[in-house]
Amino acid sequence: MSERFEPYRLPRLSDEEMVAQSRAFFDEMNTRRSVRVFSPEPIPLEAVRNCIDTASTAPSGAHKQPWTFCLVTDPALRKKIRKAAEEEEFKNYHGRMSEVWLEDLKPFGTDHIKPFIEDAPALIVVFKQVHDTVDDTGKKPNYYVNESVGIAVGMLLTALHRIGLVALTHTPSPMGFLAEALGRPDNERAFLNIPIGFPAEGVEVPVLSRKPRADVLVEHHG
Ligand code: IYR
């Protein structure tokens, strides 16, 4: 990567515009919800690729960009992924998850059956690169990989919401089967399985409230 620097400028908004635009963007993002039931309608994949481009603008440790996004529509592959995910989830719901955990999940009505893996028109399976690709000099390190990929996924979810698509951040742990199913190299580990699409007609989501500002923001001003 270049060791040179280049000028950087952004348009400067007035304070009033900053408040108005940040409020409008909050209102937009505050309508984002995790959705578990998808319409089978196809989605414009070029728009999804653009969202992945946005995710890939995320900051990352030493700019290593330690992520891979697999965009999967292939029905046979999704059938295989669903089967393996449900096997892991069965074990999660029948022994691996604690009673408290199961109780915490009750409001969401989840269980080990995961039709959305096949019903959603596409999956974005996100991989983190735990180290850089191996060459004859050996492994090269990546840094703050979870933080970097987490930020990229946040930007992906934001970009998808912007164009009216819904997503579910699904973690059928342990997720080793995803690297195998998608033929990922040794340096990659599955981070999240994200079914995406349009919400199913008439879909409902759990009633929930978000923590108010006073519960999440602590300010210190000198
Ligand atoms: N991976 C399981 C369990 C699950 C865990 C959490 I924490 C959630 O917020 C939701 C589900 C599943 O997807 O059902």
Side-chain angles (χ1 to χ4, degrees):
M1 212 189 32
S2 166
E3 284 170 28
R4 292 182 299 118
F5 282 72
E6 62 187 1
Y8 179 71
R9 282 185 71 83
L10 278 181
R12 175 77 190 241
L13 307 183
S14 70
D15 290 7
E16 293 71 29
E17 282 170 324
M18 290 170 78
V19 172
Q21 295 216 18
S22 55
R23 187 71 210 177
F25 192 62
F26 164 72
D27 288 340
E28 183 180 340
M29 289 313 299
N30 200 26
T31 65
R32 188 206 56 79
R33 292 296 308 266
S34 292
V35 167
R36 291 185 163 78
V37 192
F38 292 82
S39 160
E41 286 168 89
I43 52 177
L45 293 181
E46 190 55 20
V48 175
R49 291 184 195 105
N50 287 339
C51 293
I52 291 169
D53 286 346
T54 295
S56 199
T57 67
S60 60
H63 193 52
K64 295 281 191 164
Q65 305 166 87
W67 43 66
T68 304
F69 300 90
C70 291
L71 178 57
V72 184
T73 60
D74 178 3
L77 208 41
R78 283 187 298 145
K79 193 184 177 99
K80 182 176 173 180
I81 290 172
R82 177 179 175 182
K83 185 169 181 294
E86 288 184 341
E87 281 169 16
E88 293 300 352
E89 295 286 31
F90 183 89
K91 292 181 209 160
N92 291 334
Y93 280 89
H94 299 87
R96 288 203 291 227
M97 294 194 295
S98 67
E99 285 304 316
V100 182
W101 192 345
L102 292 171
E103 197 59 34
D104 278 341
L105 285 182
K106 275 203 179 134
F108 306 97
T110 58
D111 60 23
H112 69 279
I113 312 282
K114 302 299 183 193
F116 51 72
I117 298 175
E118 286 187 280
D119 294 348
L123 307 174
I124 302 174
V125 187
V126 184
F127 290 88
K128 62 178 178 184
Q129 298 170 359
V130 290
H131 52 79
D132 217 340
T133 40
V134 182
D135 58 21
D136 43 11
T137 65
K139 293 174 190 172
K140 296 196 202 128
N142 285 335
Y143 311 97
Y144 299 106
V145 169
N146 289 323
E147 291 84 347
S148 303
V149 184
I151 295 167
V153 168
M155 294 175 66
L156 175 65
L157 298 178
T158 306
L160 291 167
H161 183 69
R162 197 79 216 273
I163 58 166
L165 290 176
V166 292
L168 178 68
T169 43
H170 179 218
T171 51
S173 307
M175 299 195 283
F177 67 89
L178 288 168
E180 200 251 286
L182 297 170
R184 300 314 306 158
D186 280 354
N187 66 322
E188 294 192 5
R189 307 279 180 278
F191 188 76
L192 280 172
N193 173 36
I194 310 181
I196 60 169
F198 294 108
E201 191 68 37
V203 74
E204 295 191 336
V205 294
V207 174
L208 54 73
S209 58
R210 305 201 199 274
K211 286 184 179 178
R213 179 185 283 177
D215 287 5
V216 301
L217 172 64
V218 181
E219 303 200 33
H220 301 261
H221 304 293

